[in-house]
Amino acid sequence: MAGKAPQNIKLPFEQSVGYQARLTHRLIQRLLHQKIAPYGVTPGMWYFLRALWHKDGQTQRELSLLVGTMEPTTLSAIRTMEASGLVQRKRNDEDRRKINVFLTGRGRELENILMPLAKEVVDASVEGFSINARGLLLQYLKSIQNNILKHLDEDVHLG
């Protein structure tokens, strides 16, 4: 009802899905960073590398959409990766307005080094879970994502 004073609603951290998801994400990020940092890769670079290992030569816009970052953030990350010798940018032959991002040899080589480290992080995060429990956890997370997407005003696509 309009004009009614809001109730004093309490949501302890241990009962907040958002807080627990954020804390879990931050811990996973910290462990991943610990594993990949010796190779000169930051968590910010990680998601773009993953996207390019999946499909090399994507445009900066495609990478932004896939990774879920704003284009200026993507551009900054790509420039850092380019300076680190992981990627190179090339103007698109068919549409000169577009810039495609390609892995260098070093960027490609890192897949065989870093993906096993990422797998270690995933395995550590679900240590002690049965295969069935792991599958259920992923189903629950996907359900939460779908529930939230239904309530967002904007058109959002998750990778």
Side-chain angles (χ1 to χ4, degrees):
M1 281 180 134
K4 193 173 183 182
Q7 296 178 2
N8 187 10
I9 298 173
K10 297 198 185 304
L11 183 59
F13 287 137
E14 57 273 357
Q15 294 175 14
S16 170
V17 173
Y19 176 81
Q20 294 301 326
R22 181 176 185 271
L23 180 59
T24 301
H25 172 71
R26 288 177 56 121
L27 289 169
I28 289 171
Q29 285 287 100
R30 282 177 56 192
L31 183 55
L32 178 65
H33 182 253
Q34 203 172 50
K35 301 263 187 192
I36 65 176
Y39 300 92
V41 176
T42 66
M45 296 174 179
W46 170 252
Y47 296 103
F48 295 103
L49 284 172
R50 289 278 321 257
L52 291 168
W53 291 332
H54 178 73
K55 182 183 173 197
D56 199 12
Q58 295 184 67
T59 66
Q60 290 176 182
R61 176 165 288 186
E62 289 169 334
L63 287 169
S64 290
L65 290 171
L66 185 61
V67 174
T69 56
M70 301 299 287
E71 290 188 47
T73 303
T74 299
L75 180 57
S76 176
I78 297 301
R79 284 182 175 155
T80 301
M81 293 169 66
E82 194 171 33
S84 298
L86 301 175
V87 299
Q88 59 186 12
R89 292 181 292 164
K90 183 182 174 208
R91 193 153 302 276
N92 187 296
D93 291 333
E94 295 167 12
D95 184 345
R96 304 293 292 160
R97 295 170 297 176
K98 294 181 180 180
I99 296 176
N100 295 82
V101 181
F102 294 91
L103 292 162
T104 62
R106 181 169 180 267
R108 259 191 241 54
E109 288 170 7
L110 281 177
E111 181 178 11
N112 293 329
I113 298 166
L114 299 184
M115 285 305 292
L117 298 177
K119 179 83 168 75
E120 287 176 18
V121 171
V122 169
D123 290 344
S125 71
V126 292
E127 189 175 317
F129 287 32
S130 68
I131 291 173
N132 187 47
R134 289 179 186 205
L136 284 172
L137 173 63
L138 293 172
Q139 284 178 8
Y140 293 149
L141 291 171
K142 189 63 179 165
S143 292
I144 289 169
Q145 294 162 18
N146 289 334
N147 288 341
I148 292 169
L149 285 170
K150 286 188 284 188
H151 294 277
L152 287 175
D153 291 336
E154 58 204 59
D155 186 23
V156 177
H157 301 284
L158 299 178

